[in-house]
Amino acid sequence: MRFRESVINDFFNSKAFAILAAIALLVMMYVNYTSGNVINAFNHGHGILFHSLSGCIADARISVMLNAVCIILIGLIMVILNKMFNFIRSVTWIYVSVFLLLTFSSPITSSSLFTGTLLCLTIVLTLFTLFASFQNKRSQRNIFSSFALVAAASMFHYAFIYLIAVLFLGFMLMQTMNLRSFLAMILGIITPFWIVLGLGIADISDFTLPSYESAWAALRTPQLHLSIVYIAIITIFTVLLTCLNLLQIINYKLQVRAYNGYLVYLSVASILMMAVDYPNAFIYLPVINLCFGVQFAHFFTLNSHTRRYIAVIVLIIAAIAGNILQVTL
């Protein structure tokens, strides 16, 4: 019996299960599209200078396809990151599988391309430069490119702005910041706006402030009410798993602790932004899904219990049930 349970655990850890999760996600996206369950409610919004990129895609089919490409790309980038920096100290694909399952569980994240997917993609791209800068006082190029990317993205949606503070804490955690690094950060933030304004693509008069509506006005349908419950559950379990895993991760070497520490900062900051920026709370959901996937991977690989596969089975059932409930309301 233990041998069979070990085989099941190995399967959930494997690339094969991640591929099956990706196929299931693509099938659900297709079903949502053909049945008219594609949600465009969160493609509204704007940034400091321009309207949201995702809101500019009028064709629902193209939007769904781009969302699928971005989500799969996020998973692949996370695999490459773990191979390069080994922030999860086990051979596993389950963090990708869980991220895909959580994306699958909500039509908000698994239907059309929206700012949340682009936010998550931006974050995983900046992880390369951030992790590569560990204890490197000459990482000004990495710092400049990271902040320039986030600053450019903030032109299209305000949700990206909080990444400036998170990245600053991240580079501090990587023991990288000095006077030159700080100047590189400032230049990285300023340069995209300098270019856009200098080329006449935008004007000073185009600068706008974020607008907030009532929390009750933002929750207009039973489907969104259920999605709020879903967000609360994911957030609670992310916090619980993070606390449990920290007891083990604290024994890792300094470099791995720094990598995982940044992911904890990212989780906390994203949860806080959900509360502060409540009209756009769903935008931060893919980031929470990603952080939950990493924490679940730590839990699954650090835990030697033979029946830990039950947690994955429960997650699969919950993902299917959650999607069905949300699309039928």
Side-chain angles (χ1 to χ4, degrees):
M1 186 62 181
R2 286 189 176 181
F3 173 75
R4 292 181 180 178
E5 290 175 330
S6 178
V7 170
I8 296 173
N9 287 326
D10 290 341
F11 170 71
F12 285 140
N13 254 336
S14 68
K15 183 193 300 185
F17 180 60
I19 293 173
L20 287 176
I23 293 172
L25 174 65
L26 294 175
V27 170
M28 181 54 67
M29 286 181 164
Y30 178 77
V31 171
N32 285 340
Y33 171 72
T34 55
S35 61
N37 290 321
V38 176
I39 297 178
N40 295 303
F42 300 99
N43 281 340
H44 68 281
H46 58 84
I48 296 173
L49 293 175
F50 309 113
H51 286 283
S52 172
L53 283 173
S54 55
C56 298
I57 304 173
D59 192 317
R61 180 175 58 181
I62 294 176
S63 184
V64 170
M65 291 174 62
L66 286 175
N67 196 43
V69 170
C70 288
I71 290 169
I72 299 299
L73 184 59
I74 290 169
L76 292 175
I77 290 174
M78 288 300 291
V79 172
I80 296 171
L81 277 166
N82 196 42
K83 287 185 176 180
M84 290 177 62
F85 302 105
N86 198 28
F87 55 91
I88 299 174
R89 296 181 61 187
S90 297
V91 179
T92 181
W93 283 67
I94 198 166
Y95 54 97
V96 177
S97 305
V98 170
F99 171 70
L100 295 174
L101 285 172
L102 292 178
T103 303
F104 165 97
S105 65
S106 174
I108 292 174
T109 54
S110 65
S111 56
S112 61
L113 181 69
F114 77 126
T115 302
T117 304
L118 298 176
L119 176 65
C120 193
L121 180 60
T122 301
I123 286 171
V124 296
L125 289 174
T126 58
L127 288 179
F128 279 108
T129 54
L130 180 70
F131 288 176
S133 301
F134 181 76
Q135 290 187 340
N136 184 355
K137 297 296 184 180
R138 298 184 178 181
S139 296
Q140 287 78 30
R141 184 177 298 178
N142 288 344
I143 294 171
F144 174 85
S145 59
S146 296
F147 283 97
L149 175 61
V150 171
S154 70
M155 295 181 186
F156 298 92
H157 206 284
Y158 292 105
F160 290 86
I161 293 177
Y162 88 108
L163 292 182
I164 294 176
V166 177
L167 272 176
F168 176 73
L169 289 174
F171 281 110
M172 290 286 290
L173 190 62
M174 299 300 144
Q175 302 177 17
T176 305
M177 295 301 294
N178 54 27
L179 179 59
R180 289 184 178 181
S181 301
F182 184 77
L183 292 175
M185 179 188 75
I186 298 299
L187 287 175
I189 296 172
I190 294 174
T191 300
F193 293 96
W194 193 350
I195 293 173
V196 168
L197 295 175
L199 293 177
I201 300 173
D203 190 76
I204 294 292
S205 60
D206 294 327
F207 276 85
T208 53
L209 297 174
S211 58
Y212 288 92
E213 57 182 325
S214 167
W216 299 109
L219 305 175
R220 293 181 291 271
T221 67
Q223 186 182 54
L224 298 185
H225 297 165
L226 185 60
S227 298
I228 287 292
V229 174
Y230 166 78
I231 286 178
I233 293 172
I234 291 297
T235 300
I236 291 170
F237 276 98
T238 301
V239 173
L240 288 175
L241 284 179
T242 300
C243 293
L244 288 173
N245 293 331
L246 284 177
L247 298 175
Q248 297 289 335
I249 294 173
I250 199 171
N251 296 318
Y252 288 173
K253 65 179 183 179
L254 178 61
Q255 188 170 0
V256 179
R257 291 206 309 269
Y259 295 158
N260 284 283
Y262 174 73
L263 294 174
V264 172
Y265 285 165
L266 180 63
S267 301
V268 173
S270 300
I271 291 170
L272 290 176
M273 286 304 299
M274 278 184 168
V276 174
D277 189 20
Y278 54 83
N280 294 313
F282 296 97
I283 288 176
Y284 307 96
L285 182 55
V287 183
I288 298 298
N289 289 344
L290 185 70
C291 293
F292 179 89
V294 172
Q295 296 305 326
F296 192 94
H298 282 303
F299 169 80
F300 197 83
T301 56
L302 291 172
N303 194 333
S304 59
H305 198 286
T306 55
R307 294 185 178 178
R308 62 189 184 275
Y309 62 86
I310 294 176
V312 185
I313 295 174
V314 171
L315 185 62
I316 294 171
I317 295 172
I320 296 172
N323 196 295
I324 292 174
L325 282 174
Q326 290 182 74
V327 300
T328 54
L329 285 178

